[in-house]
């Protein structure tokens, strides 16, 4: 009877999570912790190296074979930054971490829920931090962590301290990866230097109205994350734009484009749900409407657009432009040193490029041609710059990976491949040869160490077991004999020396 009771009690107990689900810092606030910071703290809390946590606990539980394969080969660290942003990687990480910690709020430590409004990733590729924030937290004995807002690529300053966010360790000068075997929140993973700095040693910078608007915009987004029950889909913008246009009583889409200060065709694309605005364009729309992102989202959800403050201001609409004004502006444009595209000029004037071609065909063509040759010139410059970077990398004594070379020079992989496929290939091949050569050297070195010990033992009539070898030379790690290549080497050498293996290990 008692046995049955105990059994029932055991069955009633909730399954225990693998990890203690420590509370993410700043949940529900604009300074919510980033997922990479949480993983680092989780490892420290459980006293395991972060790489063990990733490779042995998280890695095997990931569902995508693409990721588990990557894990088996040690996922390239420069891809880890995606876990804080929007990617299929972080969906998997979130699922696994929620299971491991028994929590259901891990998703708010990334931008994953906001993928409906972002056309691309908005997070930086390396760690970024406000040294003064870190210093203050430590002084006040508050927990040290890395908030998600520091990682938004468009935000460059801390609004609390007016200091520029740092990307390089002030001691060794290195950029820091999000996941590294020596990751420790608030410290450099290479030289272990504390990354905090006092306010007096940090230059105060000016924050423009635009910068403050941008910070406020993302703060609101992060703050509302954990309070939302549903998140916008990719069709959010095509739903909200016609409503705004109607409420502003703007009839023509061209005028609406003028009001929002975007190209006519771009606006059409958004309204027809062919594309969604870039993160920067979305900020700019909010700025034009004088609202924050969560207000814009609530507009789309509540249909309450007519009462909104931005709608009453009709003065922003420009008057219709005269033909003479168009002509003189086009003439002026031709004289400028830095040409602009006809689309951009037309957009500013509030006319279409068709209108210009119809009324001023020669002038229109001249402007287009000038811009085209300018663009070509720019393209050549980019082509040469990338070539220079790649050739320099090939001359380095120690070969580097293509990804690192491009990353260090802020060149996208796609563009580099398009301009110089052969050079890219050369760098990759050189690097992989270098790695395999290093591996071969290490292998030979270890084998000759093992061989020396086996001969010594043999002289004394001792069988070269793993225990005996490592006892004789403690510099040889016993674990290496778990690798087939070393164990086979040991065994074949023993056979050559006349030992019978069937009775021995
Ligand atoms: Zn700060
Ligand atoms: Zn350092």
């Amino acid at each position: 009877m008692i046995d049955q009771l105990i059994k029932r009690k055991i069955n009633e107990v909730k399954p225990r999570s693998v990890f203690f689900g420590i509370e993410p810092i700043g949940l529900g606030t604009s300074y919510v912790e980033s997922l990479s910071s949480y993983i680092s703290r989780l490892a420290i809390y459980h006293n395991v190296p972060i790489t063990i946590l990733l490779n042995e606990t998280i890695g095997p539980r990931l569902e995508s074979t693409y990721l588990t394969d990557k894990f088996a080969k040690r996922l390239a660290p420069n891809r880890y930054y995606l876990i804080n942003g929007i990617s299929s990687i972080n969906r998997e990480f979130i699922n696994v971490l929620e299971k491991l910690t028994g929590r259901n709020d891990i998703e708010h430590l990334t931008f994953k829920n906001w993928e409906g409004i972002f056309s691309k990733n908005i997070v930086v590729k390396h760690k970024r931090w406000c040294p003064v924030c870190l210093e203050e937290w430590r002084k006040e004995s508050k927990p040290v962590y890395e908030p998600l807002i520091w990682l938004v690529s468009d935000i460059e300053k801390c609004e609390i301290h007016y200091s520029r966010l740092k990307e390089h360790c002030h001691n060794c000068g290195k950029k820091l990866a999000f996941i590294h075997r020596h990751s420790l929140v608030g410290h450099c993973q290479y030289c272990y230097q504390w990354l905090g700095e006092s306010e007096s040693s940090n230059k105060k910078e000016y924050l423009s109205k635009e910068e403050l608007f941008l910070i406020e915009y993302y703060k609101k987004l992060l703050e509302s994350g954990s309070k939302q029950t549903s998140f916008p889909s990719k069709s959010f913008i095509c739903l909200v734009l016609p409503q705004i246009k109607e409420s502003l009583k703007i009839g023509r889409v061209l005028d609406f484009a003028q009001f929002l200060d975007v190209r006519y065709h771009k606006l059409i694309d958004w309204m027809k749900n062919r594309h969604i605005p870039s993160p920067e364009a979305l900020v700019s729309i909010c700025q034009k409407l004088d609202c924050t992102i969560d207000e814009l989202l609530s507009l789309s959800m509540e249909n309450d657009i007519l009462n909104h403050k931005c709608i009453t201001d009709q003065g922003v609409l420009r008057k219709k432009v005269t033909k003479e004004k168009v002509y003189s502006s086009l003439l002026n444009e031709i004289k400028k040193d830095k040409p602009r595209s006809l689309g951009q000029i037309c957009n500013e004037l509030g006319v279409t490029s068709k209108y210009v071609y119809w009324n001023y065909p020669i002038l229109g063509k001249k402007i287009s041609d000038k811009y085209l040759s300018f663009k070509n010139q720019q393209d050549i410059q980019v082509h040469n710059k990338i070539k220079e970077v790649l050739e320099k990398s090939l001359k380095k004594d120690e070969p580097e990976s293509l990804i690192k070379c491009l990353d260090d020079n802020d060149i996208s992989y796609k563009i580099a491949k398009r301009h110089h496929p052969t050079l890219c290939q050369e760098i990759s091949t050189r690097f992989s040869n270098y790695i395999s050569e290093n591996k071969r050297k290490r292998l030979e070195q270890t084998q000759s160490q093992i061989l020396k010990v086996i001969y010594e033992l043999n002289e004394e009539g001792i069988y070269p077991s793993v225990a005996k070898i490592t006892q004789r030379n403690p510099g040889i790690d016993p674990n290496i004999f778990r690798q087939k290549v070393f164990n086979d080497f040991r065994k074949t050498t023993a056979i050559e020396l006349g030992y019978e293996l069937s009775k021995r290990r």
Side-chain angles (χ1 to χ4, degrees):
M1 180 68 187
I2 289 174
D3 267 7
Q4 270 180 351
L5 258 175
I6 291 171
K7 248 187 208 162
R8 206 186 310 152
K9 269 274 165 240
I10 288 171
N11 289 337
E12 278 169 9
V13 174
K14 261 175 65 183
R16 277 183 52 190
S17 56
V18 178
F19 289 132
F20 177 71
I22 55 169
E23 171 106 10
I25 299 170
L27 261 183
T29 74
S30 47
Y31 275 76
V32 60
E33 180 166 26
S34 60
L35 183 58
S36 54
S37 164
Y38 184 74
I39 295 175
S40 298
R41 289 199 308 115
L42 201 64
I44 291 164
Y45 186 89
H46 291 90
N47 203 15
V48 282
I50 191 160
T51 35
I52 302 264
L53 182 103
L54 285 163
N55 294 329
E56 291 177 17
T57 315
I58 298 178
R61 287 174 167 85
L62 295 171
E63 275 173 19
S64 113
T65 42
Y66 166 75
L67 278 179
T68 35
D69 278 1
K70 280 262 176 197
F71 257 97
K73 295 178 202 153
R74 304 287 187 256
L75 183 68
N78 53 1
R79 300 265 299 159
Y80 269 127
Y81 76 96
L82 288 173
I83 68 170
N84 295 310
I86 305 156
S87 66
S88 51
I89 290 186
N90 62 1
R91 170 47 62 207
E92 293 237 9
F93 268 82
I94 291 164
N95 286 345
V96 172
L97 275 164
E98 288 192 344
K99 267 182 218 154
L100 287 174
T101 57
R103 302 192 70 92
N104 58 4
D105 44 18
I106 304 293
E107 58 183 357
H108 304 307
L109 314 186
T110 75
F111 282 103
K112 184 69 188 168
N113 284 331
W114 299 107
E115 61 191 343
I117 63 167
F118 291 124
S119 59
K120 59 177 184 192
N121 250 303
I122 52 159
V123 290
V124 285
K125 292 188 177 174
H126 292 93
K127 279 195 186 186
R128 220 156 57 160
W129 61 93
C130 167
V132 191
C133 277
L134 287 176
E135 190 69 18
E136 264 185 22
W137 293 336
R138 187 160 83 159
K139 245 188 208 155
E140 292 163 15
S141 305
K142 286 184 183 162
V144 173
Y145 73 111
E146 291 155 355
L148 195 50
I149 197 162
W150 287 350
L151 310 181
V152 177
S153 45
D154 285 339
I155 297 178
E156 291 171 346
K157 294 167 195 165
C158 167
E159 45 120 27
I160 305 168
H161 300 105
Y162 286 66
S163 54
R164 191 164 283 275
L165 297 175
K166 295 261 167 108
E167 286 182 341
H168 293 91
C169 163
H170 59 94
N171 186 43
C172 69
K174 284 191 178 154
K175 281 188 173 187
L176 310 183
F178 285 106
I179 302 288
H180 185 275
R181 63 182 180 283
H182 301 308
S183 264
L184 182 58
V185 175
H187 291 78
C188 171
Q189 55 210 213
Y190 301 107
C191 68
Y192 307 107
Q193 177 74 29
W194 166 243
L195 298 172
E197 287 167 73
S198 71
E199 195 159 10
S200 55
S201 63
N202 238 281
K203 205 176 109 210
K204 268 205 165 122
E205 300 217 18
Y206 167 76
L207 274 166
S208 70
K209 214 175 117 200
E210 285 73 30
E211 284 176 301
L212 286 168
F213 185 89
L214 185 81
I215 294 173
E216 202 50 37
Y217 171 95
Y218 278 105
K219 276 175 73 183
K220 279 277 181 284
L221 192 79
L222 290 166
E223 212 175 282
S224 67
S226 60
K227 293 168 197 132
Q228 299 270 353
T229 45
S230 65
F231 289 87
S233 71
K234 292 266 184 221
S235 49
F236 135 80
I237 201 72
C238 83
L239 293 174
V240 81
L241 285 175
Q243 292 180 50
I244 298 173
K245 179 174 160 287
E246 196 175 307
S247 311
L248 284 165
K249 296 197 173 59
I250 300 177
R252 297 191 311 164
V253 177
L254 192 64
D255 293 333
F256 191 34
Q258 215 179 316
F259 170 74
L260 292 176
D261 205 6
V262 291
R263 276 196 307 112
Y264 170 78
H265 291 290
K266 196 178 257 181
L267 181 60
I268 292 282
D269 280 350
W270 295 345
M271 292 177 83
K272 294 203 168 165
N273 208 15
R274 285 191 211 123
H275 300 295
I276 62 169
S278 68
E280 302 81 34
L282 203 58
V283 174
S284 160
I285 293 174
C286 284
Q287 225 161 353
K288 288 275 177 319
L289 297 171
D290 189 21
C291 69
T292 56
I293 182 68
D294 57 325
E295 280 172 326
L296 191 70
L297 292 173
S298 67
L299 289 180
S300 77
M301 285 165 192
E302 289 167 14
N303 277 341
D304 187 21
I305 211 148
L306 278 166
N307 296 328
H308 194 260
K309 57 185 174 181
C310 68
I311 310 304
T312 48
D313 184 11
Q314 288 284 318
V316 278
L317 276 176
R318 275 178 261 166
K319 294 205 175 67
K320 252 191 131 177
V321 68
T322 61
K323 227 175 150 183
E324 291 73 32
K325 171 89 175 97
V326 173
Y327 183 65
S328 70
S329 303
L330 292 176
L331 273 183
N332 244 338
E333 204 63 41
I334 273 285
K335 290 178 203 146
K336 283 184 184 167
D337 287 340
K338 199 181 162 206
R340 295 191 298 161
S341 74
L342 189 61
Q344 209 180 349
I345 300 160
C346 290
N347 197 29
E348 206 175 88
L349 290 168
V351 294
T352 62
S353 45
K354 246 190 213 159
Y355 172 91
V356 171
Y357 279 129
W358 183 258
N359 290 291
Y360 312 104
I362 299 170
L363 211 48
K365 187 163 181 324
K366 254 191 185 170
I367 290 177
S368 288
D369 287 351
K370 195 175 170 191
Y371 181 67
L372 207 68
S373 86
F374 169 73
K375 282 297 276 182
N376 282 341
Q377 196 60 38
Q378 260 190 337
D379 213 40
I380 292 169
Q381 278 173 6
V382 169
H383 186 86
N384 292 342
K385 161 93 198 328
I386 298 175
K387 188 171 176 215
E388 195 184 310
V389 166
L390 297 177
E391 283 178 344
K392 210 168 132 194
S393 164
L394 275 172
K395 281 185 194 137
K396 282 187 182 170
D397 290 340
E398 190 179 331
E400 62 181 352
S401 74
L402 181 61
I403 298 289
K404 184 179 180 296
C405 162
L406 298 178
D407 233 33
D408 287 351
N409 291 285
D410 274 334
I411 299 170
S412 102
Y413 180 76
K414 231 167 137 182
I415 293 177
K417 271 285 222 201
R418 198 182 57 192
H419 282 274
H420 299 289
T422 328
L423 278 174
C424 287
Q425 188 54 49
E426 265 178 62
I427 294 181
S428 297
T429 317
R430 183 170 178 250
F431 182 66
S432 67
N433 287 346
Y434 171 71
I435 294 291
S436 32
E437 179 59 14
N438 268 353
K439 215 174 149 187
R440 193 189 57 78
K441 273 189 198 154
R442 272 202 309 273
L443 184 96
E444 275 180 12
Q445 229 171 24
T446 315
Q447 283 184 338
S448 83
Q449 263 181 325
I450 296 170
L451 197 65
K452 196 171 159 249
V453 177
I454 294 181
Y455 283 153
E456 266 177 40
L457 292 171
N458 183 48
E459 291 275 299
E460 296 163 29
I462 303 169
Y463 173 73
S465 68
V466 172
K468 289 285 179 213
I469 292 175
T470 51
Q471 229 171 44
R472 180 63 59 99
N473 183 350
I476 300 172
D477 179 2
N479 287 323
I480 64 162
F481 292 103
R482 290 188 185 178
Q483 294 176 37
K484 199 170 173 317
V485 55
F486 292 114
N487 207 28
D488 284 355
F489 178 75
R490 179 183 70 88
K491 284 182 184 170
T492 44
T493 316
I495 292 171
E496 278 166 21
L497 290 171
Y499 290 99
E500 260 186 62
L501 281 185
S502 53
K503 293 172 213 140
R504 301 176 186 267
R505 286 194 307 124

